[in-house]
Amino acid sequence: MIQGKSLKKRIADGETVYGTFFKLNDANLVEMLGLNGFDFIIIDTEHSNYAKTDVENLVRAADYANISAIVRVAANTEEHILHAMDSGACGIQVPGLETVEAAKEAARAAKYYPLGNRGLSTAQRAAKFGNWNGEVPYVQFANENSLVVAHIENVEMAAHVEELCDIDTIDVLFVGPADLSQSMGMPGKSTDPKVQAVIADIFQRANAKGKAVGIFAGTPEMVEKYKNMGAKYIAYASDAVLINRAFKAAVGKINEIKAK
């Protein structure tokens, strides 16, 4: 369990939080990210190969390093969402949404009654294996602190921003520029002015409704741009990308020395 204010409450209070996608199955990297000041990681079970036990151990490492662990589930199913939440994750990110009803179903699967229909068990890690001793009952704590992030990564969902904003149990609308560019017939061209215009429109409409917006940013320049647009949940690159960049920079320096 994260010590201090939950990520959900930090965002609700207007803070902008910064994290990265987590694709490499190594608890040491989780600790390093936490120790270096990232607010959260997104354990990417959609695009990486994780077993359920892997996810739970990464969440455990995140708790140790006091960094919030969000799980991007592989698909919008009750099973994926249940296992992510039972692992003790601070929340979920749901990709591949194409309808408002699908977004509502995802939110219901992440919450207990009366907010949803998440399967109830207290003999799992999120509830301390039956040893819950929090200030409030476990179900209340889980409903109040679990973060639900719904992806907008296609033109179908971009057309329904206001309706998504009206779903109280969705905390963040997360824009996926790469998938959005693909749905617009321009795969990989996420910085194209046409794609950026759709992104700006999503921000404007969500900001007007008071809903937090999140987004992936591949460079520090894009981090700054999206922060200035009002992003409250920014995923900067990924562990794999950041490590790869560090390796390239190191080898580049070595090659400079070798060439002298």
Side-chain angles (χ1 to χ4, degrees):
M1 184 191 304
I2 295 299
Q3 302 300 310
K5 191 186 297 185
S6 69
L7 196 69
K8 174 179 176 174
K9 290 185 176 179
R10 290 172 65 186
I11 294 168
D13 287 346
E15 185 178 345
T16 298
V17 294
Y18 302 87
T20 189
F21 277 97
F22 196 85
K23 299 174 180 291
L24 303 177
N25 191 2
D26 192 314
N28 290 322
L29 291 178
V30 175
E31 291 187 56
M32 282 187 244
L33 289 167
L35 290 168
N36 279 289
F38 275 94
D39 296 309
F40 65 94
I41 57 170
I42 303 167
I43 301 171
D44 191 359
T45 67
E46 181 188 18
H47 289 297
S48 299
N49 295 315
Y50 289 119
K52 293 181 177 68
T53 52
D54 295 331
V55 172
E56 189 166 280
N57 284 327
L58 292 174
V59 173
R60 183 177 287 110
D63 286 348
Y64 177 80
N66 206 39
I67 180 173
S68 296
I70 308 299
V71 177
R72 175 156 74 173
V73 295
N76 180 22
T77 68
E78 287 188 20
E79 177 189 2
H80 289 308
I81 293 170
L82 176 65
H83 284 292
M85 296 305 301
D86 279 2
S87 73
C90 297
I92 54 160
Q93 262 183 239
V94 187
L97 298 171
E98 295 184 349
T99 67
V100 174
E101 184 55 37
K104 290 179 180 178
E105 290 174 1
R108 285 194 292 267
K111 299 290 185 179
Y112 294 118
Y113 177 86
L115 301 179
N117 55 12
R118 174 181 169 187
L120 178 58
S121 168
T122 57
Q124 35 81 3
R125 185 173 184 276
K128 297 187 176 181
F129 308 103
N131 297 295
W132 182 259
N133 59 354
E135 295 181 1
V136 299
Y138 165 67
V139 168
Q140 179 184 342
F141 178 88
N143 276 352
E144 290 178 352
N145 290 279
S146 56
L147 185 76
V148 178
V149 181
H151 278 225
I152 297 179
E153 53 190 0
N154 51 57
V155 292
E156 290 82 7
M157 292 303 282
H160 296 284
V161 172
E162 287 81 6
E163 293 166 83
L164 293 170
C165 288
D166 289 337
I167 305 172
D168 291 338
T169 45
I170 290 178
D171 303 292
V172 178
L173 302 182
F174 186 85
V175 182
D179 281 316
L180 181 61
S181 72
Q182 180 166 251
S183 79
M184 294 175 64
M186 296 180 285
K189 298 181 179 179
S190 58
T191 59
D192 185 279
K194 292 180 181 178
V195 177
Q196 287 295 308
V198 174
I199 292 173
D201 180 62
I202 293 169
F203 269 82
Q204 183 177 13
R205 291 155 65 198
N207 288 340
K209 295 278 285 186
K211 183 69 77 174
V213 182
I215 194 165
F216 171 83
T219 66
E221 292 76 19
M222 296 308 288
V223 169
E224 183 174 17
K225 175 179 179 177
Y226 294 137
K227 178 183 182 292
N228 292 337
M229 289 169 60
K232 297 301 180 186
Y233 177 92
I234 299 176
Y236 171 48
S238 70
D239 57 341
V241 168
L242 294 174
I243 290 171
N244 198 44
R245 287 176 183 171
F247 286 162
K248 284 185 177 180
V251 172
K253 291 294 184 182
I254 291 170
N255 287 339
E256 288 178 10
I257 295 169
K258 289 166 62 178
K260 292 181 179 179

